[in-house]
Amino acid sequence: QQQVKQSPQSLIVQKGGISIINCAYENTAFDYFPWYQQFPGKGPALLIAIRPDVSEKKEGRFTISFNKSAKQFSLHIMDSQPGDSATYFCAATARTGNQFYFGTGTSLTVIP
Amino acid sequence: KAGVTQTPRYLIKTRGQQVTLSCSPISGHRSVSWYQQTPGQGLQFLFEYFSETQRNKGNFPGRFSGRQFSNSRSEMNVSTLELGDSALYLCASRIDLGTEAFFGQGTRLTVV
């Protein structure tokens, strides 16, 4: 059973456009939601994370929107750049949980 | 501050052999988790160690085992390797539950 569902599987965006990746979860015990960026041959790198006490968090061009009632959260990449081309994973965990539950990943391609 | 270090980066093993992978967490981090990443299954949780104790284990056969040393370094072992064990094995380090997790570069294991 997939604890965190991520969509779309792949995304192609023009340079300068907005990339949007969505995730949904079921377990209401989850209270920490990070996003990871992974380049080929590398490990996932923590990009940005949010806790459910806020509805939005912004760091540079990256924004997480969080909807607690809908149990959904999304990553917005503003002014997308070719260097943003990577696979993005959402994840969720509980404060007392030992493991992260990951989405299946979104392969983002930003076309120059 | 040094990141999470995993060694070796690449391994090729023959079916039936065993393998040991190593992970050195970020200084001060006492929690080490291991994940298996494959194209078909995504990131799957193997186990988590804290202060030399395994606190949680994922749904993997007993051929997969691990341990953690007093300096928080961790090793995972896979015995009687199968072709399906070919994957990127990732180690994540964090201070404790409820905190950010940082991944190493991973060890790419190929079983032939």
Side-chain angles (χ1 to χ4, degrees):
Chain A
Q1 183 187 359
Q2 191 71 28
Q3 296 262 5
V4 178
K5 295 181 180 178
Q6 183 173 347
S7 63
Q9 185 174 350
S10 61
L11 183 60
I12 300 174
V13 173
Q14 293 277 355
K15 179 183 174 182
I18 303 174
S19 304
I20 302 175
I21 305 170
N22 301 299
C23 285
Y25 65 97
E26 286 298 324
N27 190 339
T28 55
F30 290 158
D31 60 1
Y32 177 68
F33 304 89
W35 284 89
Y36 287 87
Q37 178 190 58
Q38 187 176 29
F39 293 103
K42 304 290 187 182
L46 179 63
L47 197 59
I48 186 173
I50 197 168
R51 297 194 185 275
D53 51 342
V54 295
S55 60
E56 186 175 282
K57 183 174 181 180
K58 184 176 181 179
E59 289 184 2
R61 296 185 294 110
F62 301 92
T63 299
I64 299 179
S65 296
F66 186 82
N67 186 329
K68 189 174 181 178
S69 60
K71 292 185 283 186
Q72 295 175 347
F73 58 110
S74 60
L75 175 69
H76 296 236
I77 306 174
M78 313 300 287
D79 187 26
S80 298
Q81 299 296 313
D84 297 331
S85 297
T87 300
Y88 292 81
F89 293 93
C90 62
T93 189
R95 192 176 299 270
T96 57
N98 304 103
Q99 70 179 99
F100 285 84
Y101 296 89
F102 286 88
T104 49
T106 296
S107 177
L108 172 65
T109 302
V110 181
I111 300 172
Chain B
K1 200 173 193 180
V4 181
T5 304
Q6 291 189 245
T7 56
R9 288 293 312 279
Y10 303 94
L11 268 177
I12 300 176
K13 290 287 188 179
T14 303
R15 196 170 42 179
Q17 287 186 312
Q18 76 165 20
V19 67
T20 299
L21 313 181
S22 179
C23 171
S24 292
I26 294 170
S27 177
H29 288 197
R30 296 164 66 189
S31 168
V32 174
S33 300
W34 289 88
Y35 290 82
Q36 182 195 65
Q37 186 177 27
T38 59
Q41 299 296 318
L43 282 137
Q44 295 200 298
F45 173 75
L46 282 155
F47 26 66
E48 189 255 358
Y49 287 88
F50 183 87
S51 292
E52 302 179 67
T53 300
Q54 185 183 92
R55 293 196 295 195
N56 196 14
K57 182 173 166 53
N59 189 26
F60 278 82
R63 300 185 296 107
F64 292 81
S65 63
R67 59 178 176 169
Q68 186 180 34
F69 302 94
S70 59
N71 62 358
S72 294
R73 190 177 71 84
S74 177
E75 289 181 347
M76 69 163 280
N77 184 274
V78 188
S79 62
T80 319
L81 284 165
E82 300 177 359
L83 297 178
D85 297 333
S86 295
L88 181 67
Y89 289 88
L90 293 162
C91 164
S93 121
R94 51 180 172 164
I95 295 172
D96 198 354
L97 302 181
T99 61
E100 301 166 311
F102 299 91
F103 283 87
Q105 298 270 48
T107 294
R108 171 72 63 185
L109 173 64
T110 302
V111 183
V112 298

